[in-house]
Amino acid sequence: MGAGLMGYVEEKAGEVRLRRAREAPRGGEFERLRQRALNRKSAGSMKRALSGGPHVALVAEFKRRSPSAGRLLDGENPVEVARLYERGGAAGLSVLTEDIDFGGGLGDLQAVASTVPIPALRKDFIIDVAALYEARAAGAAAALIIIRILSRHEAATLIERAREIGLECLVEVHDEAELDAALDAGATLIGINNRDLRKLTIDLGVTDRLAPRVPDGMTVVSESGIQNADDVRRVRDAGAHATLVGESLLRLRSEARAGLVADLSGVER
């Protein structure tokens, strides 16, 4: 799989590029998809949802499995999980739509976005405009853009095309160079991934280091390694406005999961 998760991410992006080259909509199909995205009812603003309110915002994630954690959910309904997150105080939702390694799909996103009234993020290996149109047509308010797998020109193009259809981009970075590239590309919603993709370790110090470099007026989301309210307070003090939490929640049964959602979303700004 290459050098840890970094090798996986880069190899996966290559696989996605090959598959999208074969399967991505073209011509009239592409235009119909664009129109579906444009005609989709507004999903609200993820950036606004994460920037306001008295508490550090929580983006709570639904994913069935992952290459690092294995199976996380056994047949749980994404809508029921999302409703639990909403009741617990989550400000946004993240839905994994990659099918092969994560077991997801656009159907999960569409079900959640059409049922639960807080903004949803499409989380996937997005490398083309069609994937943004798919996300918006499925009801997403935002889509994840991983700066590591894109050139600056590609990232800037995706962010601009997303804006044209009312879709925001959470642009994920891991280090200073990637943060600079994201800012150059026009990102205003920055995700700081605390996972070292080479060593497979988690270090909240990544948020400590990068968040103060993000200009005022932007929204910072600390991703990976958030286990409890103390972790939320730490990244808040570094400058994060929100956290994105997946495996810490998904490993728990529903009652314990509800309690952790309440704890993570209850930290004052």
Side-chain angles (χ1 to χ4, degrees):
M1 196 188 288
L5 279 180
M6 186 172 73
Y8 167 77
V9 168
E10 291 171 345
E11 289 174 16
K12 188 67 183 182
E15 293 173 10
V16 170
R17 287 182 188 278
L18 289 174
R19 183 163 54 152
R20 296 294 290 188
R22 295 192 303 268
E23 301 174 3
R26 293 179 176 84
E29 184 183 2
F30 181 86
E31 183 56 30
R32 286 191 292 273
L33 179 60
R34 178 175 176 274
Q35 287 302 318
R36 285 177 53 208
L38 286 169
N39 293 336
R40 179 77 189 205
K41 181 181 177 182
S42 173
S45 169
M46 179 71 77
K47 188 176 190 299
R48 189 178 305 115
L50 303 188
S51 303
H55 301 105
V56 178
L58 170 66
V59 180
E61 187 160 275
F62 177 88
K63 61 183 173 185
R64 301 176 187 277
R65 62 176 185 264
S66 78
S68 59
R71 181 171 293 279
L72 292 163
L73 296 172
D74 287 316
E76 289 191 61
N77 186 314
V79 171
E80 292 306 313
V81 175
R83 282 174 171 158
L84 181 149
Y85 289 159
E86 182 204 8
R87 290 194 299 269
L93 305 168
S94 170
V95 182
L96 258 294
T97 61
E98 196 278 336
D99 57 346
I100 296 173
D101 292 327
F102 291 87
L106 284 167
D108 290 341
L109 175 62
Q110 188 164 15
V112 166
S114 63
T115 307
V116 184
I118 54 178
L121 168 81
R122 180 185 187 182
K123 195 172 183 184
D124 209 320
F125 297 90
I126 291 177
I127 50 89
D128 63 14
V129 174
L132 300 176
Y133 293 168
E134 290 170 350
R136 188 69 198 91
L144 182 74
I145 301 295
I146 303 172
I147 203 75
R148 181 180 294 273
I149 64 175
L150 301 165
S151 69
R152 293 194 187 196
H153 174 72
E154 288 172 329
T157 297
L158 291 177
I159 291 169
E160 181 59 30
R161 294 295 178 269
R163 286 180 181 143
E164 291 172 359
I165 58 169
L167 186 74
E168 296 171 329
C169 290
L170 175 63
V171 184
E172 182 177 285
V173 305
H174 300 81
D175 57 30
E176 286 82 356
E178 291 185 7
L179 175 58
D180 290 343
L183 296 175
D184 286 348
T188 60
L189 186 55
I190 302 289
I192 298 176
N193 193 333
N194 300 304
R195 190 186 302 274
D196 187 313
L197 299 182
R198 291 184 182 275
K199 299 177 183 178
L200 309 186
T201 55
I202 298 288
D203 180 10
L204 297 184
V206 178
T207 295
D208 292 339
R209 192 176 76 244
L210 296 184
R213 293 171 55 94
V214 178
D216 292 343
M218 302 200 177
T219 301
V220 176
V221 183
S222 184
E223 307 172 11
S224 299
I226 307 296
Q227 304 285 335
N228 51 49
D230 286 339
D231 290 339
V232 178
R233 294 185 187 96
R234 175 174 173 177
V235 298
R236 172 202 64 190
D237 292 345
H241 306 93
T243 62
L244 192 155
V245 182
E247 292 177 14
S248 298
L249 292 168
L250 295 169
R251 288 194 179 103
L252 301 174
R253 294 185 180 275
S254 59
E255 289 186 8
R257 190 182 299 156
L260 183 56
V261 171
D263 289 345
L264 296 175
S265 61
V267 175
E268 293 184 357
R269 289 192 184 275

